[in-house]
Each structure stands twice: as C-alpha cells, then as structure tokens.
Amino acid sequence: MSTEVEYKFHVPRERLPEVEAALQDKGAERIEMRAHYYDTDDGLLARARIGLRLRQENERWVQTVKGPGQGPI
C-alpha cells in the first residue's frame, strides 16, 4: 500500500508560466488526468464522507478511496 500526500496551491494565472518553467527545470513531468467519482444511488458514500475515485493518469488507472479518520482503514 502506498501513502498519498496532496498539496494544493493557488497560482495566479500570470505566474503560471514561471511556475511551470521552474518545475520543468527540476525534472517535473506534466501528465494528463481524468477522474470518475462513484457513489451509491442513495448517496451513502457521500453521507459517510467517503470518496471513491477512479483516475486515469496518462495510460495508468488508479483507484482511490478517501474518508474521515486518522488511519488507512
């Protein structure tokens, strides 16, 4: 099992080319992603604050389940 840490940053639109160039200079790679989120018909997962996602990252598919709590289960 792997651990995912997610950071979200707000980058002003006019600074985006500068940030992208700095990331490329450090070896970062741009990947294409698309995501599909799933729930039961009655919204059971959302009410339990659980997210079930299937995301395509370039050619690879990654399934993720996220929910409240301190541990992985």
Side-chain angles (χ1 to χ4, degrees):
M1 178 174 29
S2 63
T3 300
E4 177 180 302
V5 176
E6 184 173 301
Y7 296 96
K8 295 181 182 183
F9 299 98
H10 172 76
V11 177
R13 187 175 304 277
E14 65 274 6
R15 302 279 312 267
L16 187 57
E18 176 186 347
V19 171
E20 287 181 329
L23 290 170
Q24 286 177 352
D25 287 347
K26 296 293 183 184
E29 154 187 12
R30 178 183 283 258
I31 63 172
E32 296 292 323
M33 292 192 298
R34 68 178 177 173
H36 303 274
Y37 292 85
Y38 296 92
D39 202 342
T40 60
D41 288 339
D42 62 357
L44 180 66
L45 295 177
R47 283 197 311 279
R49 296 177 46 220
I50 295 172
L52 174 59
R53 177 184 72 207
L54 184 60
R55 180 171 68 199
Q56 184 178 15
E57 301 173 356
N58 288 333
E59 301 300 317
R60 181 175 155 226
W61 287 93
V62 178
Q63 179 179 323
T64 304
V65 177
K66 294 183 180 183
Q70 298 299 316
I73 303 277

